[in-house]
């Protein structure tokens, strides 16, 4: 008994609510909600002699390790139910919170006049989380990486069966970084030139799972850092953003040869204001078939017409005046795929639509003259 009590009866710390809440907010999205392994719905708290509290969350596929300063009365470790703790800390007033590990893995939390005890689990049950590699990390600029993710993440496939499409491909070269994502119906490709990435020889391609990209996007939005450290080993990807480390299990398998599907001879094009196109698509899409979301784009002399019809809702047509001097063309696309692209470019400026014929993939690009960022979005047509 005594040995057991000694092993669990340590950790005792005081931490500021604001700092603790900030780190719990970062870590709680990694915690597995519907898990069959109870320990995975807990945070691991580890307090060290040097006044640091480290918080770890994992769902076995990915993990997040983050930390904040604390007054450490007794160093030690414990696990606390993540959702319950996060919801409770949010409700506490500003000020200091003391956390103390009691017998049988119970954890006492005191703040002001509140005194709460939560049922934890044995620290020994918490799975080991991979450590950031000692060598071989590459520094990636935060602003560029954030831009790559926001312009591709929506094109990642959510069909579990197509698991090599359940992530985006990051392509690093010494002076550029690019990201590609596709779900088989559309493909988003963005490249940022003029980078200076040290330690990259030739080309490094890494497939990053969708869930990890979502977490990374959140971390990048909440950091002051200008660059992050990226590393990988046989099984794991590592991203160090400020004081936080995100790990993700690698996706196995080969990403498709996307360069083969990039359109080469889409020689009919039209340029329209992004805002006008967005408005027209949104209006017309209200009357598209609910299942397919298909709308028709008709290009005629100096006019772009959008139309849709469904037996349930009715029909709608919208037109935009714009220079167009090629053969007339009618092509169908999924309206929500078109809107995804317009949202990704911030619905500003002009957009160029490029076509070959009604059966071939269409391509959309922002017409913004930004030489450093090349962004293209390829869409398979639909039969209407």
């Amino acid at each position: 008994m005594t040995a057991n009590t000694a092993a669990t009866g340590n950790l005792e710390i005081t931490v500021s609510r604001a700092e603790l809440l900030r780190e719990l907010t970062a870590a709680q999205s990694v915690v597995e909600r519907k898990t069959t392994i109870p320990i995975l719905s807990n945070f691991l708290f580890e307090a060290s002699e040097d006044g640091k509290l480290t918080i770890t969350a994992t769902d076995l596929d990915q993990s997040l390790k983050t930390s904040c300063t604390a007054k450490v009365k007794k160093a030690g470790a414990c696990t606390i139910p993540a959702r319950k703790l996060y919801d409770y800390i949010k409700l506490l007033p500003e000020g200091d919170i003391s956390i103390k590990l009691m017998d049988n893995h119970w954890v006492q939390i005191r703040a002001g006049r509140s005194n709460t005890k939560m049922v934890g689990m044995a620290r020994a049950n918490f799975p080991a989380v991979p450590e950031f590699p000692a060598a071989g990390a590459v520094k990636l600029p935060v602003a560029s990486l954030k831009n790559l993710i926001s312009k591709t993440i929506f094109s990642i496939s959510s069909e579990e069966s197509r698991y090599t499409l359940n992530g985006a491909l990051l392509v690093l070269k010494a002076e550029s970084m690019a990201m590609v994502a596709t779900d088989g119906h559309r493909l988003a490709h963005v490249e940022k030139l003029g980078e200076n990435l040290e330690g990259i020889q030739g080309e490094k391609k890494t497939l990053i799972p969708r869930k990890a990209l979502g977490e990374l996007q959140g971390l990048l939005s909440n950091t002051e850092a200008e660059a992050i450290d990226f590393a990988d080993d046989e099984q794991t990807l590592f991203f160090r953003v400020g004081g936080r480390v995100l790990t993700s299990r690698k996706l196995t398998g080969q990403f498709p040869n996307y360069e083969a599907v990039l359109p080469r001879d889409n020689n009919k094009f039209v340029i329209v204001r992004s805002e006008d196109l967005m408005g027209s698509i949104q209006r017309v899409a209200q009357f598209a078939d609910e299942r397919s979301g298909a709308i028709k784009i008709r290009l005629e002399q100096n006019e772009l017409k959008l139309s849709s019809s469904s037996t349930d809702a009715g029909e709608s047509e919208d037109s935009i005046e714009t220079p167009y001097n090629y053969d007339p063309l009618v092509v169908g696309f999924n309206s929500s795929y078109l809107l995804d692209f317009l949202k990704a470019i911030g619905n500003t400026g002009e957009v160029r639509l490029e076509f070959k014929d009604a059966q071939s993939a269409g391509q959309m690009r922002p017409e913004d003259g930004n030489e450093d960022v090349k962004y293209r979005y390829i869409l398979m047509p639909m039969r209407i």
Side-chain angles (χ1 to χ4, degrees):
M1 264 314 281
T2 47
N4 189 23
T5 315
T8 58
N10 41 19
L11 182 129
E12 195 175 331
I13 58 169
T14 304
V15 59
S16 113
R17 173 194 175 268
E19 284 200 31
L20 179 62
L21 186 58
R22 192 181 63 218
E23 303 315 323
L24 295 183
T25 304
Q28 53 91 28
S29 52
V30 173
V31 176
E32 188 58 68
R33 296 272 181 273
K34 303 182 284 288
T35 180
T36 50
I37 309 170
I39 192 74
L40 297 183
S41 51
N42 284 24
F43 286 130
L44 172 64
F45 274 42
E46 295 171 294
S48 54
E49 304 274 340
D50 59 0
K52 189 164 138 188
L53 169 65
T54 303
I55 300 165
T56 308
T58 181
D59 65 0
L60 297 183
D61 281 332
Q62 53 180 11
S63 75
L64 186 74
K65 197 175 249 196
T66 184
S67 60
C68 62
T69 54
K71 295 190 189 99
V72 179
K73 201 167 170 189
K74 287 185 187 165
C78 67
T79 79
I80 312 179
R83 190 75 227 173
K84 195 55 105 186
L85 179 71
Y86 176 62
D87 289 345
Y88 179 66
I89 300 294
K90 277 197 296 193
L91 298 170
L92 289 174
E94 281 306 329
D96 280 349
I97 297 173
S98 70
I99 300 173
K100 182 180 181 181
L101 180 61
M102 318 288 279
D103 293 348
N104 295 331
H105 316 301
W106 281 62
V107 179
Q108 181 183 49
I109 298 163
R110 302 177 80 145
R113 305 181 72 155
S114 304
N115 182 5
T116 299
K117 293 190 181 73
M118 292 173 75
V119 185
M121 294 175 80
R123 152 77 179 97
N125 296 346
F126 199 87
V129 165
E131 288 294 327
F132 198 95
V138 181
K139 284 209 178 306
L140 302 179
V142 166
S144 299
L145 186 56
K146 227 162 101 173
N147 187 35
L148 296 192
I149 297 172
S150 69
K151 289 199 167 36
T152 51
I153 192 166
F154 56 87
S155 292
I156 297 174
S157 175
S158 47
E159 283 179 47
E160 293 298 316
S161 57
R162 314 189 64 177
Y163 66 97
T164 56
L165 303 184
N166 291 161
L169 187 70
L170 176 66
V171 184
L172 302 176
K173 297 179 187 173
E175 56 289 319
S176 73
M177 51 198 286
M179 196 170 268
V180 195
T182 179
D183 60 7
H185 306 291
R186 53 174 168 174
L187 180 145
H189 177 272
V190 58
E191 184 175 20
K192 170 74 169 69
L193 305 167
E195 295 291 1
N196 179 17
L197 306 182
E198 287 176 23
I200 297 279
Q201 271 93 38
E203 188 176 68
K204 179 178 172 67
K205 289 185 171 179
T206 311
L207 195 50
I208 306 175
R210 179 198 206 114
K211 198 174 169 191
L213 278 176
E215 286 300 330
L216 187 55
Q217 202 172 24
L219 293 175
L220 295 174
S221 300
N222 289 305
T223 182
E224 306 284 298
E226 286 185 4
I228 70 158
D229 296 315
F230 163 60
D232 63 341
D233 60 24
E234 297 298 303
Q235 285 93 29
T236 313
L237 303 171
F238 300 86
F239 302 92
R240 184 161 51 208
V241 184
R244 296 170 178 162
V245 175
L246 173 70
T247 73
S248 170
R249 190 182 293 182
K250 275 185 170 175
L251 282 175
T252 50
Q254 202 61 39
F255 193 77
N257 175 11
Y258 63 92
E259 284 168 359
V261 300
L262 298 177
R264 297 279 180 265
D265 42 8
N266 281 22
N267 47 18
K268 303 180 178 74
F269 74 90
V270 61
I271 295 170
V272 288
R273 283 182 59 210
S274 173
E275 207 178 328
D276 294 347
L277 186 59
M278 179 92 138
S280 289
I281 295 171
Q282 283 173 327
R283 288 189 290 272
V284 168
Q286 295 282 312
F287 300 90
D289 175 72
E290 273 193 16
R291 208 170 45 84
S292 70
I295 62 170
K296 205 180 274 184
I297 293 181
R298 182 187 296 274
L299 287 166
E300 289 168 349
Q301 192 71 30
N302 296 333
E303 188 174 41
L304 184 154
K305 274 188 179 158
L306 295 134
S307 64
S308 67
S309 67
S310 73
T311 43
D312 308 332
E315 55 185 49
S316 177
E317 186 178 274
D318 235 74
S319 72
I320 300 171
E321 270 186 46
T322 175
Y324 180 79
N325 303 311
Y326 306 95
D327 294 340
L329 176 77
V330 180
V331 59
F333 290 115
N334 178 318
S335 53
S336 57
Y337 289 178
L338 293 166
L339 293 171
D340 282 341
F341 171 79
L342 295 170
K343 286 175 193 154
I345 60 173
N347 193 23
T348 53
E350 292 181 319
V351 58
R352 176 194 285 252
L353 310 177
E354 302 169 342
F355 305 98
K356 181 183 174 190
D357 53 43
Q359 291 77 45
S360 307
Q363 177 164 280
M364 299 175 77
R365 298 198 280 184
E367 185 75 3
D368 59 3
N370 184 341
E371 294 300 309
D372 277 353
V373 180
K374 290 188 167 26
Y375 184 29
R376 56 210 305 201
Y377 185 60
I378 291 111
L379 277 165
M380 294 309 291
M382 299 177 79
R383 284 199 184 81
I384 295 192

